[in-house]
Amino acid sequence: MGVRRDSFGGIFLVGLIFGFAEISNGGITSSYVRNDDLSLDMPLDSDVFRVPPGYNAPQQVHITQGDHEGKGVIVSWVTPDEPGSKTVLYWAENSELKNVAEGFILKYKYFNYTSGYIHHCTIKDLEFDTKYYYEVGVGNTTRQFWFITPPRPGPDVPYTFGLIGDLGQTHDSNRTVTHYELNPTKGQTLLFVGDLSYADDYPFHDNSRWDTWGRFIERSAAYQPWIWTAGNHEIDFVPEIGESKPFKPYTHRYHVPYRASGSTSPMWYSIKRASAYIIVLSSYSAYGKYTPQYKWLEKELPKVNRTETPWLIVLMHCPMYNSYAHHYMEGETMRVMYEPWFVEFKVDVVFAGHVHAYERSERISNIAYNIVNGLCTPIRDQSAPIYITIGDGGNLEGLVTSMTEPQPSYSAFREPSFGHGILDIKNRTHAYFGWHRNQDGYAVEADSVWLHNRYWNPHEGFIRGCVMKRSDSMSLEGACKVHSEYLRSLLQIIQNLV
Ligand SMILES: *[C@@H]1O[C@H](CO)[C@@H](O)[C@H](O)[C@H]1NC(C)=O
Ligand SMILES: *[C@@H]1O[C@H](CO)[C@@H](O)[C@H](O)[C@H]1NC(C)=O
Ligand SMILES: *[C@@H]1O[C@H](CO)[C@@H](O)[C@H](O)[C@H]1NC(C)=O
Ligand SMILES: *[C@@H]1O[C@H](CO)[C@@H](O)[C@H](O)[C@H]1NC(C)=O
Ligand SMILES: *[C@@H]1O[C@H](CO)[C@@H](O)[C@H](O)[C@H]1NC(C)=O
Ligand SMILES: [Fe+2]
């Protein structure tokens, strides 16, 4: 067993584990005690929901990637009073030349709600790695924002992705976004793993809560792309009130570049961004054999060129591995369909939400089973992804605290606290993932792991992050610094030995 217990300056470090060792028995269930009061949504007159001043001022401004390579951006916004201009003006920093892109306008009704004028405009053929300013609302109240395009896809391009899921619009949601914004490892693009506004928790799915959510996230989503995954709270399927078209509010408000990856539906698609290839799947669209999603994924995975984009990342809403009691086994049917492909094509990491908590798996697979052989226990598998559940954004449904016991051996770390993750890709072989909980200082990582790329670095083990107990004489932040330095030096020693 590679488990080592040590004590260092009043901090307890637990669990230094190498990839070659067999799975640790039970992993870590963090003993962190949190405030798990049910959180209410922020009231309608909150600062984060404020309507921008001025006639027909664009609101709910958000951007996402607009093509397959990262040279495109989809700019979306809502005008409340009249359609207004469809134009986006944009210009590179240090450039006088203003370019023009024209978008289009959508509107929808949901029960007795009527949306504002929803604008979507795709800007194409931007330069890589460049800061652009953009302006919307031309003709009436204009508003200006900016974004930075990613570097050209390439194997050793460093890039940082934030991870948030199941966000909603409570005070905890606001804390999660604030912690993400103030994390010293600045996320450059946010991977959102589904369940956006939770408007459907209101009577008749009160769609004005989609508007408040759009205004709430604007402070981040207008400046960096949020990459969208659909969750169950996006389905909005209520035939009893005449709403029988699934995903109506979501698909009107949040556009994705699905055609650029040969997909026939906005529910599943892929993008390249810097050194990452990101595949977004839909837990709530058909995924069985012969379905459009299945056929697309079957063709998609062999296309990924790991020399160009070494990091293969999959996003979905419902986790395939989840040891909490809530939503237990819900991801099982999709796991049966797609896990063999994830192993075959050496997916690096699969991020999911849905379960309102955090969990990280060992590198395991469970693909040997057939109906008679009884081989149904996950085993360590160096070709398998790590599964990370990050549905802890902070929505009004609260945290899930009840877990299956004992902790299954495939589960490396689990803790029900609100927070966010950051995936920090260093080069083709190394990426660092950190999980941050909202109660800690901005720089603190409550769990972390070095990811070794499955294509370029498949035989190296990985060191698992540790849980610590806060000593009375040291802040958690201070403790964490010491702890990571200590780990780094240990790693050095071990590398010199082998
Ligand atoms: C949300 O967070 C921001 C940034 O920390 C803060 O300025 C704002 O007052 C918060 N709003 C609410 C309603 O908590
Ligand atoms: C929609 O209908 C509900 C239930 O009758 C009502 O409470 C709500 O005020 C209505 N909203 C609008 C915008 O008419
Ligand atoms: C708003 O802009 C449109 C053109 O996009 C123009 O026709 C209209 O007169 C403007 N309204 C006001 C009040 O400025
Ligand atoms: C994969 O990408 C590399 C780097 O961009 C390129 O040189 C190579 O031709 C690509 N391979 C295939 C099969 O397209
Ligand atoms: C890749 O990044 C890791 C972690 O920062 C570093 O240790 C390693 O030397 C880098 N590899 C190369 C080839 O630069
Ligand atoms: Fe969910």
Side-chain angles (χ1 to χ4, degrees):
M1 259 337 288
V3 178
R4 189 190 165 108
R5 203 170 267 270
D6 214 329
S7 107
F8 183 74
I11 312 151
F12 301 98
L13 304 174
V14 186
L16 180 64
I17 300 206
F18 288 86
F20 288 135
E22 72 262 42
I23 299 170
S24 66
N25 254 336
I28 294 160
T29 297
S30 168
S31 60
Y32 188 81
V33 179
R34 72 231 132 241
N35 169 5
D36 55 5
D37 290 346
L38 241 182
S39 187
L40 294 175
D41 275 350
M42 292 180 280
L44 290 171
D45 61 359
S46 296
D47 50 3
V48 294
F49 298 148
R50 216 173 275 147
V51 173
Y55 176 72
N56 210 30
Q59 54 168 272
Q60 305 175 49
V61 181
H62 55 93
I63 61 170
T64 195
Q65 185 159 320
D67 67 354
H68 202 234
E69 265 74 42
K71 292 169 83 172
V73 171
I74 302 175
V75 179
S76 305
W77 71 98
V78 174
T79 47
D81 306 309
E82 56 167 299
S85 168
K86 299 175 194 143
T87 301
V88 176
L89 293 177
Y90 64 97
W91 60 97
E93 191 181 33
N94 310 324
S95 165
E96 294 296 298
L97 185 69
K98 290 200 176 174
N99 304 287
V100 177
E102 290 293 314
F104 57 91
I105 299 175
L106 300 174
K107 216 172 152 85
Y108 73 92
K109 288 186 194 300
Y110 191 94
F111 187 50
N112 62 356
Y113 166 92
T114 305
S115 75
Y117 301 92
I118 303 169
H119 295 247
H120 299 287
C121 177
T122 304
I123 306 176
K124 290 183 189 144
D125 300 321
L126 298 163
E127 296 294 325
F128 284 118
D129 217 354
T130 303
K131 182 169 184 177
Y132 285 90
Y133 291 90
Y134 68 99
E135 186 174 302
V136 288
V138 177
N140 304 130
T141 309
T142 58
R143 295 183 68 208
Q144 232 183 64
F145 306 87
W146 53 263
F147 57 78
I148 299 170
T149 52
R152 180 187 297 279
D156 294 302
V157 185
Y159 205 74
T160 52
F161 291 99
L163 274 305
I164 293 181
D166 306 70
L167 183 57
Q169 42 194 306
T170 70
H171 292 282
D172 288 309
S173 321
N174 197 35
R175 275 177 213 121
T176 300
V177 173
T178 304
H179 276 247
Y180 173 55
E181 291 170 317
L182 298 179
N183 190 321
T185 311
K186 290 274 169 233
Q188 294 170 286
T189 290
L190 187 95
L191 305 178
F192 193 90
V193 290
D195 283 0
L196 286 62
S197 74
Y198 287 76
D200 61 346
D201 278 343
Y202 286 82
F204 309 102
H205 292 215
D206 182 358
N207 271 227
S208 64
R209 277 286 174 177
W210 274 105
D211 292 312
T212 54
W213 196 77
R215 295 197 290 270
F216 158 50
I217 61 150
E218 182 188 272
R219 73 177 200 252
S220 170
Y223 297 94
Q224 63 168 252
W226 284 36
I227 305 303
W228 301 110
T229 311
N232 54 306
H233 286 273
E234 277 67 72
I235 303 175
D236 284 309
F237 174 71
V238 197
E240 306 87 279
I241 60 169
E243 293 302 340
S244 52
K245 191 175 178 294
F247 305 109
K248 193 205 259 181
Y250 172 70
T251 51
H252 279 81
R253 291 167 183 273
Y254 294 93
H255 276 199
V256 298
Y258 65 95
R259 287 193 191 90
S261 55
S263 164
T264 49
S265 162
M267 310 312 292
W268 59 88
Y269 64 101
S270 69
I271 56 165
K272 293 183 213 173
R273 203 162 176 90
S275 39
Y277 198 102
I278 294 154
I279 293 182
V280 177
L281 296 179
S282 172
S283 305
Y284 307 102
S285 306
Y287 47 77
K289 202 161 181 180
Y290 314 122
T291 61
Q293 182 167 210
Y294 179 99
K295 289 185 135 180
W296 176 81
L297 185 60
E298 186 180 32
K299 280 213 221 135
E300 178 70 7
L301 283 164
K303 281 188 202 161
V304 181
N305 180 344
R306 303 293 277 272
T307 302
E308 187 187 28
T309 49
W311 294 93
L312 180 50
I313 297 165
V314 173
L315 311 181
M316 60 180 62
H317 184 60
C318 185
M320 290 182 174
Y321 285 95
N322 157 40
S323 78
Y324 288 88
H326 206 52
H327 302 310
Y328 189 59
M329 300 277 286
E330 270 180 35
E332 193 63 6
T333 44
M334 194 193 248
R335 185 189 69 71
V336 168
M337 294 312 300
Y338 293 160
E339 189 185 21
W341 286 348
F342 292 175
V343 175
E344 181 183 352
F345 292 98
K346 298 186 169 10
V347 170
D348 289 294
V349 51
V350 177
F351 291 105
H354 200 40
V355 178
H356 301 163
Y358 171 73
E359 183 165 24
R360 174 170 57 81
S361 80
E362 304 284 356
R363 228 176 246 295
I364 40 91
S365 73
N366 189 8
I367 54 178
Y369 178 70
N370 63 41
I371 204 81
V372 290
N373 67 8
L375 301 174
C376 57
T377 306
I379 53 162
R380 185 171 281 272
D381 183 340
Q382 288 303 313
S383 293
I386 284 180
Y387 295 86
I388 292 178
T389 302
I390 185 106
D392 54 349
N395 64 74
L396 78 176
E397 294 177 354
L399 288 163
V400 33
T401 50
S402 152
M403 307 173 186
T404 60
E405 300 290 357
Q407 183 170 14
S409 57
Y410 69 73
S411 169
F413 184 99
R414 56 184 188 176
E415 180 183 317
S417 289
F418 292 130
H420 74 276
I422 297 236
L423 178 66
D424 184 1
I425 298 176
K426 306 285 190 191
N427 53 37
R428 76 182 71 188
T429 54
H430 287 71
Y432 185 78
F433 177 79
W435 175 62
H436 303 255
R437 56 163 102 87
N438 290 353
Q439 289 90 341
D440 295 336
Y442 299 120
V444 177
E445 284 162 350
D447 179 45
S448 60
V449 64
W450 272 106
L451 296 171
H452 290 213
N453 188 274
R454 288 303 89 193
Y455 183 84
W456 289 99
N457 201 3
H459 301 300
E460 274 194 67
F462 57 91
I463 292 222
R464 193 165 80 183
C466 301
V467 219
M468 346 167 239
K469 290 190 183 134
R470 190 201 295 255
S471 75
D472 289 330
S473 58
M474 193 183 252
S475 74
L476 198 49
E477 197 165 334
C480 204
K481 282 207 188 90
V482 173
H483 150 251
S484 58
E485 273 160 28
Y486 175 62
L487 255 189
R488 223 169 283 137
S489 57
L490 253 182
L491 180 58
Q492 207 65 56
I493 293 163
I494 290 153
Q495 274 172 346
N496 290 341
L497 284 177
V498 294

PDB file of all heavy atoms in Angstrom, residues 55 82 84-85 138-140, ligand 3:
ATOM      1  N   TYR A  55     -32.155  53.076 -21.771  1.00  0.00           N
ATOM      2  CA  TYR A  55     -33.214  52.528 -22.606  1.00  0.00           C
ATOM      3  C   TYR A  55     -32.741  51.280 -23.353  1.00  0.00           C
ATOM      4  O   TYR A  55     -31.729  51.294 -24.054  1.00  0.00           O
ATOM      5  CB  TYR A  55     -33.717  53.587 -23.603  1.00  0.00           C
ATOM      6  CG  TYR A  55     -34.748  53.016 -24.554  1.00  0.00           C
ATOM      7  CD1 TYR A  55     -36.036  52.711 -24.094  1.00  0.00           C
ATOM      8  CD2 TYR A  55     -34.429  52.727 -25.868  1.00  0.00           C
ATOM      9  CE1 TYR A  55     -36.977  52.142 -24.942  1.00  0.00           C
ATOM     10  CE2 TYR A  55     -35.368  52.159 -26.730  1.00  0.00           C
ATOM     11  CZ  TYR A  55     -36.637  51.861 -26.257  1.00  0.00           C
ATOM     12  OH  TYR A  55     -37.564  51.300 -27.084  1.00  0.00           O
ATOM     13  N   GLU A  82     -37.342  46.592 -26.854  1.00  0.00           N
ATOM     14  CA  GLU A  82     -37.572  46.400 -28.293  1.00  0.00           C
ATOM     15  C   GLU A  82     -36.415  45.550 -28.809  1.00  0.00           C
ATOM     16  O   GLU A  82     -35.407  45.383 -28.121  1.00  0.00           O
ATOM     17  CB  GLU A  82     -37.623  47.754 -29.015  1.00  0.00           C
ATOM     18  CG  GLU A  82     -36.388  48.621 -28.816  1.00  0.00           C
ATOM     19  CD  GLU A  82     -36.325  49.803 -29.791  1.00  0.00           C
ATOM     20  OE1 GLU A  82     -36.278  49.521 -31.002  1.00  0.00           O
ATOM     21  OE2 GLU A  82     -36.312  50.963 -29.346  1.00  0.00           O
ATOM     22  N   GLY A  84     -34.080  46.088 -30.943  1.00  0.00           N
ATOM     23  CA  GLY A  84     -32.811  46.812 -30.954  1.00  0.00           C
ATOM     24  C   GLY A  84     -31.868  46.252 -32.001  1.00  0.00           C
ATOM     25  O   GLY A  84     -32.245  45.413 -32.825  1.00  0.00           O
ATOM     26  N   SER A  85     -30.642  46.710 -31.949  1.00  0.00           N
ATOM     27  CA  SER A  85     -29.675  46.340 -32.973  1.00  0.00           C
ATOM     28  C   SER A  85     -29.128  44.932 -32.758  1.00  0.00           C
ATOM     29  O   SER A  85     -28.831  44.527 -31.638  1.00  0.00           O
ATOM     30  CB  SER A  85     -28.529  47.347 -32.957  1.00  0.00           C
ATOM     31  OG  SER A  85     -27.476  46.864 -33.739  1.00  0.00           O
ATOM     32  N   VAL A 138     -25.975  48.746 -29.901  1.00  0.00           N
ATOM     33  CA  VAL A 138     -25.747  49.842 -30.850  1.00  0.00           C
ATOM     34  C   VAL A 138     -27.073  50.531 -31.194  1.00  0.00           C
ATOM     35  O   VAL A 138     -28.062  49.876 -31.485  1.00  0.00           O
ATOM     36  CB  VAL A 138     -25.101  49.282 -32.150  1.00  0.00           C
ATOM     37  CG1 VAL A 138     -24.909  50.377 -33.179  1.00  0.00           C
ATOM     38  CG2 VAL A 138     -23.771  48.605 -31.806  1.00  0.00           C
ATOM     39  N   GLY A 139     -27.097  51.849 -31.118  1.00  0.00           N
ATOM     40  CA  GLY A 139     -28.315  52.598 -31.452  1.00  0.00           C
ATOM     41  C   GLY A 139     -29.072  53.055 -30.221  1.00  0.00           C
ATOM     42  O   GLY A 139     -29.704  54.109 -30.225  1.00  0.00           O
ATOM     43  N   ASN A 140     -29.028  52.261 -29.150  1.00  0.00           N
ATOM     44  CA  ASN A 140     -29.635  52.659 -27.890  1.00  0.00           C
ATOM     45  C   ASN A 140     -28.548  52.680 -26.819  1.00  0.00           C
ATOM     46  O   ASN A 140     -27.479  53.229 -27.078  1.00  0.00           O
ATOM     47  CB  ASN A 140     -30.788  51.725 -27.519  1.00  0.00           C
ATOM     48  CG  ASN A 140     -31.855  51.628 -28.614  1.00  0.00           C
ATOM     49  OD1 ASN A 140     -32.239  50.540 -29.005  1.00  0.00           O
ATOM     50  ND2 ASN A 140     -32.319  52.774 -29.106  1.00  0.00           N
TER      51      ASN A 140
HETATM   52  C1  LIG B   3     -33.158  52.394 -30.452  1.00  0.00           C
HETATM   53  O1  LIG B   3     -32.408  51.934 -31.579  1.00  0.00           O
HETATM   54  C2  LIG B   3     -33.149  51.695 -32.761  1.00  0.00           C
HETATM   55  C3  LIG B   3     -32.211  51.208 -33.844  1.00  0.00           C
HETATM   56  O2  LIG B   3     -31.597  50.040 -33.448  1.00  0.00           O
HETATM   57  C4  LIG B   3     -33.845  52.974 -33.215  1.00  0.00           C
HETATM   58  O3  LIG B   3     -34.675  52.703 -34.309  1.00  0.00           O
HETATM   59  C5  LIG B   3     -34.668  53.544 -32.073  1.00  0.00           C
HETATM   60  O4  LIG B   3     -35.179  54.816 -32.437  1.00  0.00           O
HETATM   61  C6  LIG B   3     -33.820  53.712 -30.813  1.00  0.00           C
HETATM   62  N1  LIG B   3     -34.660  54.170 -29.699  1.00  0.00           N
HETATM   63  C7  LIG B   3     -34.278  55.144 -28.884  1.00  0.00           C
HETATM   64  C8  LIG B   3     -35.273  55.532 -27.836  1.00  0.00           C
HETATM   65  O5  LIG B   3     -33.203  55.688 -28.972  1.00  0.00           O
END
